[in-house]
Structures are given as structure tokens and as C-alpha cells.
Amino acid sequence: MKYYDKLIFELSAEGKRGWSLPKSAFPAVPALDAELLRAEDPALPEVSEVDVVRHYTALSQMNFGVDSGFYPLGSCTMKYNPKINEELAAHPGFASLHPLQSDEDAAGAVALRDGLEKCLCSITGMKAFTFEPCAGAHGELTGLMLIRSYHNSRGDFARTKIIVPDSAHGTNPASAAVCGLQVVQVNSRPDGRVDIEALRPLLGDDIAGMMLTNPNTLGLFESQIGEIAALVHECGGLMYYDGANMNPLIGVVRPGDMGFDVMHLNLHKSFSTPHGGGGPGSGPVGVNDKLKEFLPKIKVSAFHGNFAVMMRAYAYILSLGRENVPMLGRLATLSANYIKESLKDVYCLPIEGLCKHEFVFDGLADKSTGVTTLDIAKRLLDYGFHAPTIYFPLLFHQSIMIEPTETEGKDTLDSFIAVMRCIAEEAASDPEMVKSAPHTTPVRRPDEATAARHPQLKFADL
Ligand SMILES: *Cc1c(COP(=O)(O)O)cnc(C)c1O
């Protein structure tokens, strides 16, 4: 049994203490009324300081993060997070600000927000941003509310539908539903792009707009984006850009120039804040001139949004500078294509051609081994890599979605490629070994459905 197999409660022994306090120099305070006191002492573990330190250190080492290894999770951009960003975000001059302080008192923070807004406008081609939304999905809702305000302001109340492609991120239809819009799905062509001929008949005076991400969830660029935007505008709708994964475009093309009217960014994906388990996030919403006047009326969170994430984004952009920011999109695209081309003889590539920041394999090329995408993902853990996104998008049965990001060196990409090739060989020579992976992690194949449906989160439940 390993140290981390025990819960902190199981390490408890009567009389052990992790603290010692000096004798109080103050007079005794009067005892509290009996009704304010609990009937029994709380069930806290009794452990020494070293027990606590080792317990939590061991737990932290069971985890995998961007600081422990390569993290090729498609659609979610977990990239390198320069440590100077953390230092800046913790700077007491910013971290100690009170949200009710006046703009004059907080002139530095205001300047930072304005500076970041200027950078994002220049990167996206939008005219103004709000930083209130605290996640990508929160930004989507905000952007859709802006679209609704725009139509309502013209007395046009009939636009109750929004078009969303079948390849969209799940938050798109969810945000539209929360905003009270009816989702109309447009299907993709076999090459993974929006089918314009399927789009045409959906357009009319009940359409509020269309939500699109470009490159789409397969990492493919919608090459007919100009035509799509023109068709939606012709029918009176607006174009919403899901810029959660903007990194492949940064410095190459701008949503504002592609005909989008409103968009969100995920600062926590494309601008260097590591995220997971629900935060921290920032989903600023940018608008063009059509929607600018509606921005100040939108109030979707307390105060000014998630300021520390904004600070990291600003530090990332400024430390790269105007000369290097244009490298982001190019390097993200180069890294993804390098991996794709190096592996497509042993993994099944359903859609050929140039991808952007990510791409999707449909399991192994050799379907006779019985080794599935789940097995490959589990085996990668043995080699010290985080698994890619698996079984998403739903367009293929054995999806493996790989996104290396722009901040990984060629050495790391090469070792990932070597390990993926090695797993393909193992699948042929010793499929049972791959199917029973991982062999080296403290937790191997948990029952994920039961863990999600009946989570046991308290010691007493066990
Ligand atoms: C991650 C993501 C979102 C949602 O962002 P959250 O911050 O998780 O709410 C929306 N769209 C796309 C394409 C994404 O990848």
C-alpha cells in the first residue's frame, strides 16, 4: 500500500498535532451561549505537520498538469504558461485592489484593461470589448444577448432562431437555448465544412444570426466564410464568432475582416492562463460598430470580470510583442500539421489536407487489432503524456483529437510522435498489454459512468 492510498482521516491518531501556538497574552473571553456551540466536536483528523505535507504533496503528484508534461488536448489549448505571468498577476498593487475603488484610485488597472482591449481589437478586428464574462460559454450568452438587443432596438422581434453547425462546440447550442433562442442545425459536408446549400433554405426573417467557429472543431478552416457571412447578413442576421481557440488565427486573419459582428475569446485558452476543473476563466466579448452602442448596457457579472486572467493575457501579448504575436497562429498550425503528417500512415486520418491548430484521427489505421482510442489514450499515460481529447467530435467512432499548441518545442513533438508510433506497434504485437494500460498510474481504469453519476465525495460515504 502506498502513502497516498490512505485518506487523511485514516492517517489520524489521537493526540497528534500539526500546530503549536504560544499562550494567549489576552484575557479570557466570556464563554459563548450554549445554543451557539455545536453539540459534538467536529470530526477533524489528528495528524502531524509532516503527515499533512506528505499527504497533499503525494496527492498533487498523482495529478498531471502543463508543468508536468505534454498536454495535447484538442479543443482546449492547455499551453505553456510563462511563470512571469503568475508573478505579475500576484503583484500586490493589482491583487490588493478593491473592486469598489474608483477608476482614479485604480488608474493602473484601468490602463491595463484599456491596453488589453486595444491589443485584442487589433488582433481580432473588433471595435470594442467587454471583459465581464468569466468563461467562454458566459461570453457566448453575452454575445447572443447583444444580438437580441440589436434586433429588439429596431423593433424586429421575430428573429427567434439561431443557426449552429453540427460540428459546433456543445456550449454553442446550450448558450443559445439559455438566451431563449431556438437552435437550427446546419450540417457539414463530407470534407468537414459547412454545407452552403444546406444553409440557404434555413435563412429568413426569423433568423437572429449564425454561430460559427473558424477553424471549426475539426481544426479545418471554413474557406467559404465570406460567402456564408454575406448570406446571413443578406437575410438580416448577424454573425457570431466562437473565438475560444483563436490561437491558429492570431496574426494571420481576423474575425472582424471575415464578416463577424460579435465574438468571444477564451483568454484562459488562447492567451496563456492554465485552466481546468471549472476555472479560472475570462471570456471577453468583442463587437463591431453595429453592436458597440449596446455594450455598456450589458451587465453579466459583478465588477470588472476576472482581472488576474486579463493580466496574464496582457503580459503574454506584451512579452511577445508586435513582432512575435504573428508567429502564434503559424506555429500552432505548423505543430499540428507536423504531428498529423508524421502519424497518418499508422493512424486513420478521415479528412486529408492542411489543418489548423488541431486535427482528428479516427483510431488506428489497422482496425484488426481490437485496440480502441480509449486504450491508446490510457497507454499514453504510461509514457508520461496527457491523453488527447477522445471520442469528440462525434463525427467519427474513434475520434482522437490532437492539439499540440504553438508553445511546444520540436523535441517534445518528436517524442510524442515516437511514442504514438510505438503504441501502434504494441497494438499489433501485444494488444492485450495496450488494452490493460495504464500500468504505472495509481488509478488505472475507473468506472467513469459511476464516478459521474454517483460521486462519493465525503469520507463518510465510503
Ligand atoms: C472551450 C470552448 C468553449 C467554452 O469555453 P468555457 O470557458 O469552457 O465556457 C466554447 N467554444 C469552444 C470552441 C471551446 O473550445
Side-chain angles (χ1 to χ4, degrees):
M1 190 179 218
K2 295 257 180 58
Y3 199 80
Y4 45 64
D5 286 339
K6 284 195 174 181
L7 297 172
I8 187 91
F9 292 95
E10 294 170 311
L11 298 173
S12 178
E14 207 174 324
K16 276 195 181 182
R17 287 290 175 268
W19 50 268
S20 66
L21 295 175
K23 211 166 168 316
S24 171
F26 300 96
V29 286
L32 292 174
D33 290 346
E35 82 246 25
L36 296 176
L37 296 175
R38 55 165 91 225
E40 281 170 41
D41 284 341
L44 296 177
E46 297 183 64
V47 278
S48 68
E49 179 182 340
V50 74
D51 287 339
V52 175
V53 171
R54 284 187 189 147
H55 179 70
Y56 286 107
T57 304
L59 283 183
S60 75
Q61 288 169 349
M62 289 167 73
N63 210 344
F64 191 101
V66 269
D67 287 347
S68 24
F70 184 49
Y71 211 116
L73 202 62
S75 181
C76 285
T77 324
M78 287 286 268
K79 64 180 154 195
Y80 161 62
N81 173 50
K83 294 297 166 271
I84 191 163
N85 295 1
E86 298 306 312
E87 220 168 282
L88 293 170
H91 190 287
F94 289 104
S96 311
L97 283 175
H98 193 282
L100 288 176
Q101 272 176 279
S102 68
D103 277 9
E104 287 138 60
D105 263 5
V110 173
L112 187 148
R113 184 193 63 201
D114 292 350
L116 179 58
E117 181 179 19
K118 222 179 257 175
C119 291
L120 297 184
C121 284
S122 143
I123 287 171
T124 61
M126 291 289 149
K127 292 291 160 24
F129 270 86
T130 169
F131 290 96
E132 280 190 28
C134 291
H138 200 193
E140 291 167 24
L141 177 62
T142 308
L144 293 168
M145 287 161 72
L146 286 163
I147 291 180
R148 206 171 51 190
S149 302
Y150 167 81
H151 291 308
N152 287 354
S153 76
R154 297 177 302 113
D156 186 350
F157 299 104
R159 297 187 181 269
T160 54
K161 294 183 180 166
I162 188 108
I163 299 172
V164 180
D166 56 356
S167 64
H169 193 269
T171 50
N172 289 190
S175 304
V178 170
C179 194
L181 291 162
Q182 195 189 325
V183 176
V184 183
Q185 182 173 304
V186 60
N187 292 333
S188 307
R189 295 183 312 223
D191 74 352
R193 273 88 174 178
V194 168
D195 185 344
I196 294 205
E197 293 321 311
L199 175 65
R200 276 182 216 279
L202 304 177
L203 298 168
D205 53 17
D206 56 351
I207 293 297
M210 177 170 187
M211 293 181 93
L212 201 64
T213 182
N214 193 18
N216 64 25
T217 299
L218 291 171
L220 302 170
F221 193 79
E222 295 284 354
S223 41
Q224 288 176 292
I225 187 61
E227 206 176 333
I228 294 172
L231 284 171
V232 172
H233 285 146
E234 245 165 60
C235 89
L238 296 183
M239 289 293 287
Y240 184 97
Y241 180 75
D242 178 342
N245 304 299
M246 174 77 190
N247 52 320
L249 298 195
I250 296 173
V252 185
V253 279
R254 310 192 306 171
D257 301 334
M258 287 191 261
F260 287 96
D261 302 289
V262 49
M263 66 176 290
H264 80 270
L265 290 165
N266 277 22
L267 296 186
H268 51 291
K269 285 184 185 167
S270 300
F271 295 92
S272 92
T273 292
H275 58 280
S282 171
V285 168
V287 292
N288 66 7
D289 283 329
K290 263 187 233 167
L291 293 171
K292 211 169 156 183
E293 64 176 294
F294 303 102
L295 211 50
K297 299 187 195 119
I298 293 283
K299 191 79 199 142
V300 295
S301 72
F303 307 115
H304 308 287
N306 207 341
F307 196 74
V309 182
M310 293 158 58
M311 292 185 67
R312 292 186 185 94
Y314 197 44
Y316 189 58
I317 294 169
L318 290 191
S319 57
L320 289 169
R322 186 174 280 277
E323 11 10 307
N324 293 314
V325 164
M327 292 296 285
L328 293 183
R330 290 171 170 85
L331 284 177
T333 300
L334 179 63
S335 302
N337 281 286
Y338 179 61
I339 296 182
K340 169 172 68 68
E341 292 301 313
S342 307
L343 290 175
K344 69 176 189 184
D345 57 327
V346 282
Y347 289 87
C348 170
L349 180 66
I351 299 181
E352 276 275 359
L354 202 67
C355 65
K356 289 291 172 267
H357 59 308
E358 64 193 1
F359 62 92
V360 181
F361 282 138
D362 187 12
L364 285 163
D366 177 0
K367 300 290 183 210
S368 71
T369 65
V371 166
T372 64
T373 278
L374 178 68
D375 304 327
I376 297 162
K378 292 287 184 188
R379 185 66 181 140
L380 272 170
L381 305 179
D382 284 335
Y383 287 105
F385 290 112
H386 194 280
T389 298
I390 56 170
Y391 298 109
F392 180 82
L394 307 175
L395 298 166
F396 314 111
H397 289 300
Q398 294 291 331
S399 290
I400 311 178
M401 188 183 205
I402 297 174
E403 172 172 8
T405 82
E406 62 274 19
T407 54
E408 292 292 346
K410 183 165 175 294
D411 289 348
T412 306
L413 304 186
D414 283 336
S415 31
F416 178 71
I417 290 165
V419 161
M420 286 291 281
R421 297 193 73 87
C422 175
I423 295 174
E425 275 163 32
E426 289 171 350
S429 61
D430 190 359
E432 276 320 303
M433 194 269 294
V434 183
K435 292 184 82 56
S436 53
H439 302 280
T440 58
T441 57
V443 178
R444 298 178 57 193
R445 293 208 178 201
D447 178 342
E448 288 167 16
T450 305
R453 300 273 150 72
H454 306 289
Q456 294 173 348
L457 303 175
K458 289 190 307 197
F459 182 54
D461 291 342
L462 297 173

